[in-house]
Amino acid sequence: METSDGLFPPSLAAALKKLDPEDGEQVLEYFKTHALLTREKALLQASVRDQKKLLVENGKLKKDIEQLRGQLQDKQRRRTVRALFSPPPQTVSPASTISANQPPFPVGATEAVPGRRPTSPQEKRERRGRRRGERRAEGGATGHPPLEAEPLADVFRLDLRVGRITSARRHPLATTLFIQQVDVGEAATRVVVSKLGENTQLEELHGALVVLLCNVKACKMRGVVSQARLLCCSNSTDITELLVPPTGSTPGDRVTFFNYPGDPDRELPSKERVWDRLQPHLQVDCRGVANFKGCSFEVRGKGLCRAPSLTNCTIR
């Protein structure tokens, strides 16, 4: 049997009052309050889990909608091209048909169709030119590729990871370039060439935790091959700061976006220019938090990535 509030049986309440007549009521009230708080905490955690699940499902639905929209636009463009350049259907006049019992024309003779004048050589040349123009418009002779759906450029395609700079030195051929050895949780460190401010001190770089874009194609910068991209933020006065991962991060931790779930590319295709299309949407907000279209850079279970002191600036 439970009490009217559904928390404790009457026997337990009676036992507490018997053991401690003076404070039994207070002890019982304390237990009731603790039980109610525990129940409310469990309900709150369940609602938070449901909310996160809904956000993940919304992200997937958004991705599917974008893909379907691209496919629909592609079909509409192809249909428009066919409607513009396809020749009109030719209607055959009954008077132009040849009777089955009519003798064949001799070689070199032309058929005289009632109501139609003979075609001149100049008209034939113009007709052939129009046909070639139609074929070129369909993408065969001009070298232009056929219309295709624009590839999806979403932020989950970026392989962003936490790294630790183990050594740094200035580039011998450029005063604004720095060469760093960065540990990103792999068997060997990566060489990263980055453009920082002229006032950057080497002592500040050594041992610093940074955010790296790891799936860019390796490129040579002033004779040194760079194997990743170091993310910085800068404002209109050309002040540059390194983007800082949350406290407790370790080399190799993934930087993710809650509203954009998905696995990154093994290597970003250079032809799609994914970074160039996403970079204008990478910002530091008024709180100093790095975000993509309002969704924060997050190391799961550890916190958000921030700028040390800058706000309302771009990430590059």
Side-chain angles (χ1 to χ4, degrees):
M1 294 285 296
E2 293 186 348
T3 57
S4 60
D5 53 13
L7 296 175
F8 300 102
S11 57
L12 177 59
L16 285 174
K17 292 178 181 179
K18 184 176 181 181
L19 288 173
D20 193 347
E22 295 180 358
D23 298 329
E25 283 290 339
Q26 295 180 358
V27 172
L28 187 59
E29 288 297 327
Y30 170 77
F31 282 139
K32 288 181 181 179
T33 304
H34 184 70
L36 288 172
L37 289 175
T38 304
R39 181 183 297 175
E40 290 179 359
K41 182 179 179 182
L43 292 174
L44 181 61
Q45 289 176 344
S47 65
V48 169
R49 284 195 299 270
D50 293 339
Q51 184 179 7
K52 289 183 177 180
K53 188 183 297 183
L54 287 174
L55 287 174
V56 172
E57 291 176 356
N58 286 341
K60 292 179 180 178
L61 288 174
K62 181 179 178 183
K63 176 183 173 183
D64 293 340
I65 289 172
E66 290 295 332
Q67 290 177 342
L68 291 174
R69 182 181 299 168
Q71 293 174 3
L72 179 60
Q73 291 175 350
D74 175 52
K75 289 181 179 179
Q76 290 176 344
R77 286 195 293 263
R78 289 180 181 275
R79 190 179 297 116
T80 303
V81 169
R82 285 197 297 268
L84 287 175
F85 298 107
S86 59
Q90 297 180 356
T91 59
V92 181
S93 175
S96 64
T97 58
I98 302 175
S99 177
N101 56 4
Q102 185 178 355
F105 289 97
V107 178
T110 59
E111 179 183 3
V113 180
R116 182 183 301 175
R117 62 182 179 83
T119 305
S120 65
Q122 183 179 358
E123 290 178 344
K124 291 180 180 179
R125 287 194 295 271
E126 291 177 356
R127 190 178 300 171
R128 285 197 295 268
R130 285 197 297 269
R131 290 200 200 99
R132 283 196 294 269
E134 291 171 2
R135 287 196 296 269
R136 288 176 182 175
E138 291 176 358
T142 58
H144 295 296
L147 294 173
E148 294 180 355
E150 185 177 330
L152 180 66
D154 226 334
V155 73
F156 69 82
R157 297 181 62 181
L158 304 181
D159 184 9
L160 298 175
R161 285 188 251 166
V162 175
R164 185 185 298 277
I165 300 176
T166 58
S167 66
R169 59 188 176 90
R170 290 186 181 273
H171 197 294
L173 302 179
T175 57
T176 58
L177 293 182
F178 290 79
I179 303 173
Q180 301 103 11
Q181 296 284 342
V182 186
D183 176 18
V184 289
E186 298 172 336
T189 58
R190 293 199 184 199
V191 178
V192 181
V193 181
S194 53
K195 183 178 181 181
L196 305 175
E198 294 184 0
N199 297 327
T200 303
Q201 302 297 323
L202 293 175
E203 296 79 10
E204 299 174 0
L205 298 177
H206 186 75
L209 284 175
V210 293
V211 178
L212 289 176
L213 176 60
C214 294
N215 59 345
V216 292
K217 188 176 181 179
C219 62
K220 187 175 289 187
M221 299 180 66
R222 293 294 185 93
V224 180
V225 177
S226 180
Q227 299 172 312
R229 185 185 186 96
L230 182 64
L231 296 196
C232 306
C233 52
S234 59
N235 60 10
S236 57
T237 58
D238 290 335
I239 298 177
T240 303
E241 293 181 348
L242 296 176
L243 206 61
V244 179
T247 304
S249 301
T250 57
D253 284 348
R254 280 275 325 271
V255 177
T256 58
F257 301 84
F258 186 77
N259 293 343
Y260 299 91
D263 296 324
D265 291 9
R266 185 178 183 86
E267 183 177 283
L268 294 177
S270 55
K271 291 183 179 179
E272 295 184 17
R273 302 179 63 188
V274 176
W275 170 256
D276 293 335
R277 292 159 62 188
L278 294 176
Q279 192 267 334
H281 304 289
L282 302 177
Q283 305 283 335
V284 173
D285 62 17
C286 60
R287 302 174 300 156
V289 178
N291 68 85
F292 171 80
K293 294 183 179 180
C295 185
S296 302
F297 286 53
E298 178 184 6
V299 178
R300 234 172 246 180
K302 298 180 181 179
L304 308 178
C305 300
R306 300 175 178 271
S309 62
L310 295 179
T311 57
N312 297 320
C313 58
T314 59
I315 297 173
R316 57 176 179 81

